[in-house]
Amino acid sequence: MSFKKILFAVSFEKGRGTGHLVRSAENARRLREAGLNTHIFLCTNGRLALREAQEIAGGGNFITDVDAALKQDWDLVIFDRFKTPQKEAVSFFERFPVIALDEGGPFRSRFDFLFDLIPSPRPFQAPNVTRPAWLFFPENRRPDFPDFCGGEVERSAKDAREMKQARILIAFGGEDPALLGGRAAKILADAFPAAAVYLLGGRFAENGAGGAPAPKNAVLLKPQNGLRERLHSYDVVITHFGLTAFEAVYARCAVVLLSPSRLHQKLGLWSGFLTLGGRAGGLAKLERICKKKSFFKDAALCAKAAAERFNLEKKNEGAFFEYINKIDAHVFRTCPVCGKNAGIKRKVLARFENQTFIRCPHCRMIFQQRLCAPPVEYNEAYFFENYKKQYGKTYMEDFPDLINISKKRLAVIKKILLNKNGVLPPAPLRLLDAGCAYGAFLLAAKNDGFSVCGVDQSADAVDYTRRSLCAEAYALSFPQNLNEKDFPPHSFNCVTMWFVIEHLRDVPAALKKARLLLKDGGVFAFSTPSACGVSAKKSLLTFLKNSPQDHWTVWLPYRTPLVLKSFGFAVKKIRITGRHPERFPFLGKYAKKGGFLYALLYAASGVFRLGDTFEVYARAVSR
């Protein structure tokens, strides 16, 4: 789905500054200009009022009541909260698709998608994307980082006339909660009387100057919007880890960080900026380090290294709002297997650039959320080129082996169809194969005495099945395109889906349709990849990363009976298939087909149910 109505949930509280609001307000404005309906939910504790928020944001549609926000129908909610509280997380997660920007709270691992625009190390849960390029960077840039006449900023007015006068900006955001600005300005103005020191007053900082009056030899600037486009006019920017630091690096300024918290200190050191420390300790270090001749040169070299590390030397291309405006997201609010709301209890297992894999807290199955549609079309190429990439040969080259596999499956089906007296239901035994492809299973079933019918999305496959195999087949999607006139209720003895169910976005609808089509006592059979196989056990992250992009769900054999029971089926048999000794960790690389180790690992994969696929055979329970 493309997004038309978007809510930005923004942090605007004491101690959080104004950066979150500025960033989200600009994204909201740009999306609004592109024709989308955007609102800003202002999460505030009263320290900063709505009027100031509107002034900073430059207008926009604001909501300040959480109940009012929850009553509307949002296509997407973007959290720019720093740390999202539990109450908000629970309320929004159950209703809407959610994206988090630079989330640092305990629910970081629960969002549908997680984007880190400001790079940072995380103790848990890597993001889907880390992309500093999505920040709003200045158009105006210096031609290069300052060199300060070989590294030394001279301290006398006479020497200053012989060099380009150093311009130093001190900016600690709209609030400066640690009151660093005024004191840092005094230290720098005293240490470098020849330099021009500018202190940007915070909108909400005490005295407007960060805890101390601006020194006489420093200039106090009023709070201003659009600071980033003026950064290039400064040689050095003193700030904390955050948006301004990255904007200054992009503008090619030397950057020095003072840290208002331990987290800021940790992030500053990790990023490679010249980071001095926090609060009183940081200010004392600033005073000491100002005596070093190489102080500003070191700051410039660190900033240049950070620009290279985070790929900020190139001209910025693309922006977050452009990305949001283009994506075609596929997000489940309820589990696509059991149909229940996963809510805040869901567990994110893995994140990749366009995918998030989630375990349902109810049925325990795995499903994926996607930021774009899978790049797969079920046409002729799917069964030939794509099939060959996955299995080493095309579907038609694999046809004889598929017939042999089908015969084994039919033997299990017929055994389950027997009544108490060991007699099959009266002929004709009607069988529907959903996702019949080029008809291997239909041909085997037809030769085994079944009256067969197949459906598949691929018109090419259906045409081949009709012409070459003389089997009844239709180019239809299961279950949505099967009407009751052509497919009456309780008209089949067997419904099968071989490696199809994982491709379906609405499994509950498919299971309900299968039960509706089956007679009481009929058999529903399917196969699918296993989340309990050796590949998943070896590395779940690698297994999910390599999972075909059009596989919406990954099933666990031991949880399947409970899921099917709720749809009117009783599982009679689960066969573990796809046993691959060569995929075992450590020993697998030594297992050669025909050898003792290969046979041993093959047997072990059967005993311990470590096959990478499995088959399920269930009976339709009498109502």
Side-chain angles (χ1 to χ4, degrees), residues 468-491:
S468 301
L469 306 182
C470 299
E472 182 184 354
Y474 303 93
L476 299 172
S477 296
F478 185 90
Q480 58 267 36
N481 295 139
L482 275 64
N483 60 62
E484 291 194 4
K485 180 181 178 182
D486 298 321
F487 297 88
H490 316 304
S491 57

Side-chain angles (χ1 to χ4, degrees), residues 24 59 130 219 263 268 279 417 573 576 595 609 614:
S24 287
T130 298
V219 179
L263 177 61
R279 300 188 182 245
L417 281 173
K573 186 177 182 66
I576 303 300
R609 304 174 74 79
F614 67 102

Side-chain angles (χ1 to χ4, degrees), residues 452-472:
V452 299
C453 175
V455 295
D456 198 281
Q457 291 186 31
S458 172
D460 293 327
V462 166
D463 184 59
Y464 175 87
T465 301
R466 284 175 171 172
R467 287 187 298 101
S468 301
L469 306 182
C470 299
E472 182 184 354

